[in-house]
């Protein structure tokens, strides 16, 4: 949980930049039961700042699964691996979509998919509907 207040204007910029979609699972805020949260990609306890280059829009579930983590164990190599960083990493270099499932293209993606449970069955069904309806756009 953030220790620092995120000013409304900064939150608005983060929401607009993300197109009102979670930057991890792509869930549109419109189809969430709670308001998306502003995530410190690098948590404040690790020295992260409350600035646009360290903030990402996250749904409640993704923000809960991620917590203050900046790395986790790669399920394939068992190595400690940095998580996907929405501000520094290009989505298309780490992920691709196949039938609404995130396919990892990197160790970072594999680790993020596992930690945030980005391919859990319920979200796959929902993501499929959002994609078919054109409600989300695939990040570059």
């Amino acid at each position: 949980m953030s220790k620092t207040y995120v000013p409304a204007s900064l939150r608005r910029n983060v929401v607009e930049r993300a197109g009102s979609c979670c930057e991890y699972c792509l869930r549109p805020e419109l189809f969430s039961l709670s308001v998306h949260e502003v995530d410190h990609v690098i948590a404040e306890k690790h020295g992260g700042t409350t600035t646009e280059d360290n903030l990402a829009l996250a749904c409640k579930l993704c923000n809960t699964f991620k917590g203050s983590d900046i790395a986790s164990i790669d399920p394939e190599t068992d190595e400690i691996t940095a998580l996907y960083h929405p501000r520094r990493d290009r989505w298309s270099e780490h992920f691709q979509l196949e039938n609404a499932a995130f396919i990892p293209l990197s160790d970072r993606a594999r680790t993020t998919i596992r930690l945030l449970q980005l391919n859990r069955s319920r979200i796959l069904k929902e993501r499929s509907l959002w994609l078919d309806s054109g409600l989300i756009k695939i990040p570059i």
Side-chain angles (χ1 to χ4, degrees):
M1 172 171 234
S2 175
K3 295 185 300 187
T4 304
Y5 171 73
V6 177
S9 61
L10 181 54
R11 185 185 197 293
R12 196 171 26 257
N13 290 345
V14 170
V15 170
E16 286 177 12
R17 179 181 61 204
S20 299
C21 292
C22 174
E23 295 186 68
Y24 297 105
C25 72
L26 307 180
R27 175 188 303 274
E29 189 171 30
L30 180 65
F31 294 100
S32 183
L33 296 176
S34 60
V35 175
H36 283 3
E37 301 173 345
V38 175
D39 171 52
H40 284 80
V41 181
I42 306 296
E44 291 176 288
K45 77 178 190 182
H46 298 299
T49 58
T50 305
T51 54
E52 280 192 62
D53 63 343
N54 188 46
L55 299 176
L57 192 64
C59 70
K60 177 72 176 167
L61 282 175
C62 285
N63 207 19
T64 298
F65 288 134
K66 180 182 171 289
S68 62
D69 293 337
I70 56 176
S72 186
I73 307 295
D74 181 335
E76 191 171 298
T77 65
D78 288 331
E79 297 288 326
I80 295 174
T81 304
L83 298 176
Y84 168 72
H85 190 303
R87 298 286 71 79
R88 297 180 187 158
D89 298 328
R90 290 181 61 102
W91 192 90
S92 60
E93 293 176 0
H94 295 277
F95 304 96
Q96 66 183 47
L97 273 172
E98 187 176 302
N99 298 324
F102 286 4
I103 306 300
L105 302 176
S106 67
D107 55 352
R108 186 173 291 231
R110 202 169 38 242
T111 304
T112 303
I113 289 169
R114 187 197 56 78
L115 183 68
L116 276 61
Q117 301 178 32
L118 296 175
N119 284 334
R120 57 192 183 279
S121 61
R122 181 175 175 151
I123 199 165
L124 289 178
K125 293 175 186 170
E126 293 175 351
R127 192 179 299 130
S128 179
L129 292 171
W130 305 328
L131 287 165
D132 290 346
S133 303
L135 295 170
I136 57 175
K137 69 176 189 181
I138 309 304
I140 299 173

